[in-house]
Amino acid sequence: RATPIKLVLYPDRENPLQDVAAPFTLEVADSSALSRYTVAEVPALGPVRASGNLVQDESIFRVDDLALSIAGDRIDLQAQGHVADLGGFSGVALSGEFSGLDTRRLLLYLFDELPYDRPLDALQGNFQVAEAGGKWQLTDFHLLSSRSGGPLELEAAGSVRDLTGFRAAEIDASIHARDPALLEAATGFRMNPGEGRLRIRTDPAEIEVLADLRLGDSELEGRASVGRTRGAIDQLSLSVVSPQLRWQDLGLQAEEAGGKSYKPAAQIEQAVDQENTLGDIGENVPDYPVDVVLQVSELLGKQTDIHQLDVHLTSRDKRVTVRRFNADIDGARTHFRGVADFSTAPPA
């Protein structure tokens, strides 16, 4: 729907319409209809309303003073900005804020199912999006739970300089999971309440993830680094350090209560394909270099206490080396070193 239009008509020119200027209002039944104009699919969030000023600059049409809103049962979004080239849908810049984003729907992107029927607080925040040279950038965003103290509290902030390839990003996030029932619904294990901080840094050559987690009385720090060359992984390193881990905090302590048994080891065994042969395992060992370090001062359970666990594994060309395995298990000192070679197929 357009209101009165201002234009100049040149009948003898190839493009007879010149200097078009017109305010407009556009209404779309659902945001998913915008997917035809974007690289990434736009989810169905609700009705869209846009308004602005359509301006012609020679052969290019642009939109100034763009106001965009989405009002649905999944999100309430308001944004302002401009489009430098409407025909090519390029030179887009938007800044805005949102509220009412459904946390449960977000979690279902991470988990196949979430058998948890208690309410979760919605998410709110603000953002800045820009497009230049065919690349969409989330130049700044901040997302957080609408209320503190709920069963799940989330917060994230940062930027993504190429949304289509996630090639350059800086994201800091925190999570507070206060309801053990939610943790069990998400993971299948009876974990204790916990919190954590996550930092993600990516560039074309490396993805780095730093994590600081606490579950009950257990705490750990982790670092993962993935090297990339032309988008393909060429190396991986992972380190986990903890002063103390408790099986119960991690949901790995077997229990008998009220005539019911909880056997996490059985759950893990079910998740592992028992049909795997040595050759199948070898197929999953990567060709690129891998370096894994695990250091735990105390690993405590009802039946077994492990102290000074120190493990270092490396892999290259499907050849896995246990460079170090040291542990004090119930007072007995254990050492192990060895090599497993998956570079050739096992004998039939």
Side-chain angles (χ1 to χ4, degrees):
R1 181 169 59 91
T3 50
I5 299 175
K6 175 186 175 182
L7 57 88
V8 178
L9 183 63
Y10 296 92
D12 57 339
R13 294 188 180 182
E14 182 179 355
N15 297 316
L17 291 179
Q18 299 290 325
D19 303 325
V20 174
F24 72 90
T25 298
L26 174 68
E27 296 181 355
V28 179
D30 190 87
S31 59
S32 58
L34 300 176
S35 296
R36 68 186 68 179
Y37 307 110
T38 60
V39 176
E41 183 177 353
V42 179
L45 299 174
V48 179
R49 188 180 190 277
S51 63
N53 292 311
L54 179 65
V55 179
Q56 183 184 17
D57 185 3
E58 295 184 351
S59 61
I60 295 176
F61 287 88
R62 70 175 191 270
V63 177
D64 294 338
D65 304 320
L66 175 63
L68 176 71
S69 67
I70 300 177
D73 57 358
R74 299 185 182 182
I75 194 172
D76 185 4
L77 181 147
Q78 306 289 330
Q80 307 78 38
H82 66 264
V83 181
D85 182 358
L86 185 61
F89 203 68
S90 62
V92 180
L94 289 173
S95 62
E97 53 281 330
F98 62 89
S99 62
L101 183 61
D102 192 336
T103 301
R104 189 181 303 274
R105 289 184 181 274
L106 185 64
L107 292 177
L108 287 174
Y109 282 104
L110 304 175
F111 305 102
D112 292 334
E113 57 180 358
L114 190 68
Y116 181 80
D117 56 6
R118 301 174 191 175
L120 295 173
D121 296 311
L123 299 170
Q124 62 187 25
N126 53 70
F127 64 92
Q128 294 181 2
V129 178
E131 185 277 342
K135 293 183 178 180
W136 285 86
Q137 305 178 51
L138 189 60
T139 55
D140 182 55
F141 79 93
H142 185 201
L143 173 150
L144 71 162
S145 296
S146 59
R147 182 177 66 93
S148 61
L152 180 65
E153 188 175 343
L154 302 173
E155 184 171 6
S159 63
V160 181
R161 292 190 289 278
D162 185 358
L163 285 170
T164 57
F166 205 72
R167 293 172 59 84
E170 297 183 4
I171 300 173
D172 292 294
S174 65
I175 179 172
H176 293 259
R178 299 184 175 91
D179 188 354
L182 175 60
L183 288 170
E184 184 175 2
T187 67
F189 297 99
R190 298 177 183 175
M191 299 179 179
N192 282 332
E195 60 184 271
R197 292 186 297 273
L198 193 67
R199 172 170 291 185
I200 302 173
R201 299 288 184 271
T202 76
D203 59 41
E206 183 185 23
I207 300 174
E208 182 185 54
V209 180
L210 302 176
D212 183 359
L213 305 175
R214 186 180 187 95
L215 285 169
D217 295 325
S218 300
E219 53 186 301
L220 62 87
E221 293 182 359
R223 179 186 181 274
S225 175
V226 179
R228 301 188 293 180
T229 300
R230 292 186 291 275
I233 297 176
D234 57 19
Q235 62 178 357
L236 168 66
S237 65
L238 173 67
S239 66
V240 177
V241 178
S242 171
Q244 177 178 268
L245 293 178
R246 293 179 177 270
W247 293 119
Q248 188 170 6
D249 291 333
L250 304 178
L252 299 177
Q253 181 66 64
E255 295 179 344
E256 294 280 348
K260 295 183 179 180
S261 61
Y262 171 65
K263 298 179 179 180
Q267 294 179 230
I268 295 174
E269 289 175 3
Q270 290 177 2
V272 176
D273 185 2
Q274 299 300 317
E275 299 298 324
N276 278 350
T277 65
L278 190 62
D280 295 327
I281 296 173
E283 290 178 0
N284 294 323
V285 176
D287 294 320
Y288 51 79
V290 177
D291 191 293
V292 178
V293 173
L294 173 64
Q295 296 176 324
V296 181
S297 298
E298 291 184 318
L299 184 54
L300 306 177
K302 290 183 177 180
Q303 303 296 328
T304 302
D305 289 347
I306 300 175
H307 297 269
Q308 304 306 320
L309 175 64
D310 185 7
V311 181
H312 184 196
L313 305 176
T314 61
S315 173
R316 180 185 290 269
D317 299 325
K318 292 187 177 294
R319 185 180 177 89
V320 180
T321 302
V322 182
R323 298 191 175 275
R324 186 174 65 250
F325 186 103
N326 301 324
D328 186 339
I329 303 175
D330 292 333
R333 194 65 181 162
T334 302
H335 304 274
F336 176 78
R337 287 171 176 79
V339 175
D341 192 346
F342 296 100
S343 60
T344 59

